[in-house]
């Protein structure tokens, strides 16, 4: 299983240090063999990982340069970061990233050997149009993406489920993940209002290889509980 915690614009350096101490200790003490990835804010990338990988939530696809407000490969190399989140719906729908920009990021960081957690998902209006329209919408988000890339992880996150407390039915999750499995051998994660109460059920579904957790991962103890649930499933 792969379990990812996405802090988004939450937590300070001090908060992140305390969080990582709890999670690292839990993973070590329990001999966890699953892949655990934490995506803190830029200001808290300094952690020296032992049992937990640290990833970056976003970066600009250049070595360095005149890109105000961005972080580039040069800065990530300083922190030893080799894992990146690309295509998250909040980047697409709030920041306004186009598929062309997302594709450029994917290609650049794949060329530099990064593990890439690549996010796809649909807004509610698309979901309500039915499964054929839904899958056609998701298909567009794979345009220009190498689905055979060896360090690819695909995360399905229905936009309407992120941070709302709503989740698709288990059968709907399995339907989408089955369709994704036909396109790639990459591990498939589910994200979108994952929490302690539903994580185990979701991780037990067919073609679900892990979870990408947002707000519910901000509690180190809750995230550790989800890690424990993954271990029990195996």
């Amino acid at each position: 299983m792969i379990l990812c915690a996405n802090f988004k614009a939450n937590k300070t350096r001090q908060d992140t240090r305390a969080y990582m101490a709890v999670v690292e200790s839990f993973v070590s003490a329990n001999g966890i063999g699953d892949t655990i990835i934490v995506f803190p804010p830029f200001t808290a990338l300094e952690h020296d990982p032992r049992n937990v990988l640290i990833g970056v939530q976003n970066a600009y696809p250049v070595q360095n340069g005149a890109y105000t407000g961005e972080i580039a490969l040069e800065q990530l190399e300083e922190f030893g970061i080799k894992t990146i989140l690309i295509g998250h719906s909040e980047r697409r729908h709030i920041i306004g990233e186009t598929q062309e920009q997302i594709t450029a990021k994917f290609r650049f960081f794949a060329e530099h050997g990064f593990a890439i957690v690549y996010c796809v998902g649909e807004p509610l209006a698309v979901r309500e149009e039915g499964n054929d329209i839904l899958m056609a919408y998701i298909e567009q988000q794979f345009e220009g993406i190498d689905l055979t890339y060896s360090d690819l992880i695909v995360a399905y996150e229905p936009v309407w489920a992120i941070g709302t407390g709503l989740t698709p039915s288990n059968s709907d999750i399995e339907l989408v993940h089955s369709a994704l499995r036909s396109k790639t051998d990459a591990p498939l994660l589910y994200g979108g209002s994952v929490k302690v109460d539903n994580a185990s059920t979701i991780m037990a579904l067919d073609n679900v290889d892990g979870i990408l957790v947002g707000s519910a991962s901000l509690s180190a103890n809750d995230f550790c509980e989800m890690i424990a649930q993954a271990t029990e499933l195996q």
Side-chain angles (χ1 to χ4, degrees):
M1 284 284 177
I2 301 170
L3 294 91
C4 302
N6 179 16
F7 289 0
K8 307 184 182 185
N10 292 291
K11 294 194 180 294
T12 63
R13 276 192 304 170
Q14 183 174 349
D15 292 338
T16 303
R17 287 190 194 117
Y19 181 101
M20 293 305 300
V22 172
V23 176
E24 288 273 19
S25 177
F26 180 84
V27 170
S28 177
N30 291 279
I32 303 297
D34 295 304
T35 299
I36 312 300
I37 309 173
V38 173
F39 295 93
F42 291 142
T43 54
L45 292 177
E46 65 181 0
H47 175 71
D48 181 22
R50 291 172 289 142
N51 306 295
V52 178
L53 295 173
I54 297 296
V56 67
Q57 298 174 25
N58 176 55
Y60 203 75
V62 294
Q63 177 70 27
N64 52 40
Y67 301 96
T68 300
E70 294 288 345
I71 188 170
L73 182 62
E74 183 175 84
Q75 291 81 51
L76 301 185
E77 288 176 335
E78 182 178 22
F79 290 107
I81 302 296
K82 294 293 289 185
T83 304
I84 186 169
L85 196 64
I86 294 177
H88 193 283
S89 65
E90 290 161 2
R91 300 291 308 176
R92 295 178 189 267
H93 296 286
I94 298 175
I95 307 301
E97 285 188 0
T98 65
Q99 186 62 28
E100 183 179 11
Q101 291 171 316
I102 290 167
T103 298
K105 284 185 183 181
F106 186 97
R107 290 176 177 168
F108 179 86
F109 288 103
E111 287 171 0
H112 287 84
F114 274 61
I116 297 174
V117 179
Y118 185 73
C119 301
V120 297
E122 83 287 351
L124 185 57
V126 172
R127 160 71 65 171
E128 292 175 339
E129 290 290 327
N131 292 326
D132 290 343
I133 299 297
L134 185 158
M135 290 313 303
Y137 184 90
I138 291 178
E139 182 74 29
Q140 293 174 346
Q141 296 173 336
F142 288 127
E143 184 177 331
I145 303 301
D146 180 6
L147 293 177
T148 66
Y149 177 57
S150 61
D151 281 323
L152 170 66
I153 300 167
V154 174
Y156 168 57
E157 290 196 303
V159 179
W160 52 273
I162 298 173
T164 64
L166 303 173
T167 57
S169 68
N170 291 339
S171 60
D172 283 339
I173 295 173
E174 287 186 322
L175 181 70
V176 174
H177 277 244
S178 176
L180 293 175
R181 175 61 67 224
S182 70
K183 298 179 181 299
T184 180
D185 292 329
L188 303 176
L189 312 184
Y190 173 78
S193 291
V194 179
K195 46 188 178 291
V196 169
D197 292 346
N198 63 15
S200 181
T201 299
I202 290 171
M203 287 187 286
L205 298 175
D206 288 344
N207 294 308
V208 175
D209 302 311
I211 50 178
L212 173 58
V213 190
S215 59
S217 72
L218 296 177
S219 162
N221 289 332
D222 283 355
F223 190 52
C224 288
E225 173 59 28
M226 294 182 221
I227 295 170
Q229 290 175 4
T231 301
E232 290 171 4
L233 287 172
Q234 298 172 72

